[in-house]
Amino acid sequence: QIFLLDDRLQISLGVRGQFFSVGAADRPGFLGSITPERSLTGDGSIAYFFRSTNTKLRAHAGNGFRAPSLFERFGQGTFARLGLTRFGDPTLRAEQSISVDAGFDQRVARDRARFGATYFYTRLQRVIAFKGFIVDPLGLGRFSGYINQPGGISRGVETYVEAAPWRGGDWRASYTYTNSDRFVPTRGMQPEYVIPKHLFGMTLNQRYRSFLVSFDLNRTGAYLAPVFENDFPFRTAELTFPGYTKADLFGSYERAMSERVVITFFGGAENLFAAKYFENGFRAPGFVARGGINLRFR
């Protein structure tokens, strides 16, 4: 980390190397020709603060690497109709990605409020995916399993506003626009699953003496999700699930019973207005209330 110009300029740099080795006795036959990939990943960020206007400009760039897991290399499973089936591929290559982002933060009203925005871009250069009816060049008896393929792209904008308008109260609102695509063989880039383009959130917290009340409101836009058939021929349907608004309200009261014991009463409700929505294709709970007592010993 580097701090210059009276700490107005901040620079952070990082690097990481990953190195693997496999003993000859652990890679018999054709595995003897497999050499695990090594990686060198880097990460850097820079920020500059304008004290005259309370403005911060910032940027970041980095790349990522993930070696295949043991199950992705050698995993297998048993199905009632198909018997023992191999999913893994010992020759899988690692996942790689690159990402950049840039934005600003602005403080106003004597630091009682601030707002900001960030543009982000991430490209998955290579990923490990699970596919059915794949080619089996190594003769491992695979008809489905893990393979390498090009990844996808995600880009968008994140914005936020934070404020403490009065004593004991704080407020935060955020909006995110995401345009995310995944690579599909023979079809090219397609919208990514379970990532809505629009997300809005708002949180209100108010503390008065020993009381604390929190209210959360979230709006999730429509999204695409797969629904799988869990038996042969393992078909998949792509369904569009509508957007929904979900509200949560919770409160607590804290009191010291003695110098060493503090008791807290809490309660509230999730999905306050019983909105009907789905998570990954499954119906989510409606109105859910909970409460309780917490004892803390100091």
Side-chain angles (χ1 to χ4, degrees):
Q1 293 183 324
I2 303 172
F3 301 90
L4 302 171
L5 303 178
D6 196 19
D7 289 348
R8 288 176 296 168
L9 177 62
Q10 300 179 5
I11 302 173
S12 297
L13 300 172
V15 64
R16 180 178 67 176
Q18 297 183 66
F19 306 92
F20 307 89
S21 62
V22 180
D26 297 324
R27 49 182 187 182
F30 69 90
L31 294 180
S33 61
I34 298 175
T35 301
E37 291 179 276
R38 295 177 293 180
S39 77
L40 186 64
T41 54
D43 195 90
S45 63
I46 184 170
Y48 186 83
F49 182 66
F50 296 88
R51 290 179 179 170
S52 59
T53 59
N54 280 337
T55 305
K56 176 186 283 188
L57 301 180
R58 46 184 168 75
H60 161 267
N63 66 324
F65 172 95
R66 185 184 75 84
S69 67
L70 283 175
F71 190 81
E72 289 168 339
R73 289 187 183 276
F74 305 106
Q76 57 188 19
T78 302
F79 293 89
R81 296 183 181 180
L82 303 175
L84 186 64
T85 303
R86 181 184 294 275
F87 300 134
D89 180 357
T91 67
L92 280 176
R93 300 191 65 188
E95 293 188 325
Q96 292 182 324
S97 64
I98 186 169
S99 63
V100 296
D101 59 77
F104 74 93
D105 300 297
Q106 178 67 55
R107 295 181 178 272
V108 295
R110 298 180 180 179
D111 284 352
R112 295 185 64 85
R114 68 173 183 169
F115 61 91
T118 302
Y119 171 81
F120 60 89
Y121 175 93
T122 299
R123 180 189 173 200
L124 304 179
Q125 299 163 297
R126 183 172 61 234
V127 299
I128 298 173
F130 189 91
K131 297 293 182 181
F133 306 106
I134 60 176
V135 178
D136 185 26
L138 296 180
L140 299 177
R142 301 198 314 159
F143 74 92
S144 64
Y146 294 99
I147 63 171
N148 285 124
Q149 69 177 36
I153 299 175
S154 180
R155 58 278 196 203
V157 177
E158 296 178 336
T159 63
Y160 74 93
V161 178
E162 294 179 347
W166 48 73
R167 183 177 180 181
D170 62 82
W171 173 72
R172 176 181 172 88
S174 62
Y175 168 76
T176 302
Y177 171 79
T178 305
N179 184 5
S180 184
D181 297 315
R182 72 189 192 284
F183 174 81
V184 179
T186 73
R187 296 171 59 190
M189 289 296 185
Q190 299 293 318
E192 180 59 283
Y193 291 139
V194 202
I195 298 184
K197 286 193 173 184
H198 305 281
L199 281 175
F200 172 80
M202 182 177 67
T203 300
L204 299 174
N205 295 316
Q206 178 64 53
R207 179 177 291 278
Y208 178 73
R209 295 184 178 179
S210 297
F211 293 91
L212 175 63
V213 177
S214 298
F215 176 75
D216 292 313
L217 182 68
N218 293 278
R219 173 66 185 176
T220 300
Y223 64 89
L224 188 71
V227 178
F228 298 96
E229 186 177 38
N230 64 355
D231 201 356
F232 191 81
F234 309 115
R235 294 169 297 183
T236 302
E238 293 184 349
L239 303 180
T240 298
F241 292 88
Y244 61 91
T245 301
K246 180 174 175 287
D248 304 325
L249 178 65
F250 285 93
S252 66
Y253 172 74
E254 184 177 281
R255 180 171 181 176
M257 304 298 293
S258 66
E259 292 184 356
R260 301 189 61 183
V261 180
V262 177
I263 186 171
T264 302
F265 301 89
F266 62 89
E270 299 180 19
N271 198 2
L272 190 62
F273 305 117
K276 180 181 178 179
Y277 68 100
F278 297 82
E279 294 179 338
N280 294 323
F282 295 93
R283 176 74 182 271
F287 177 88
V288 177
R290 57 186 173 91
I293 301 174
N294 179 62
L295 288 173
R296 186 171 75 252
F297 300 92
R298 299 185 292 190

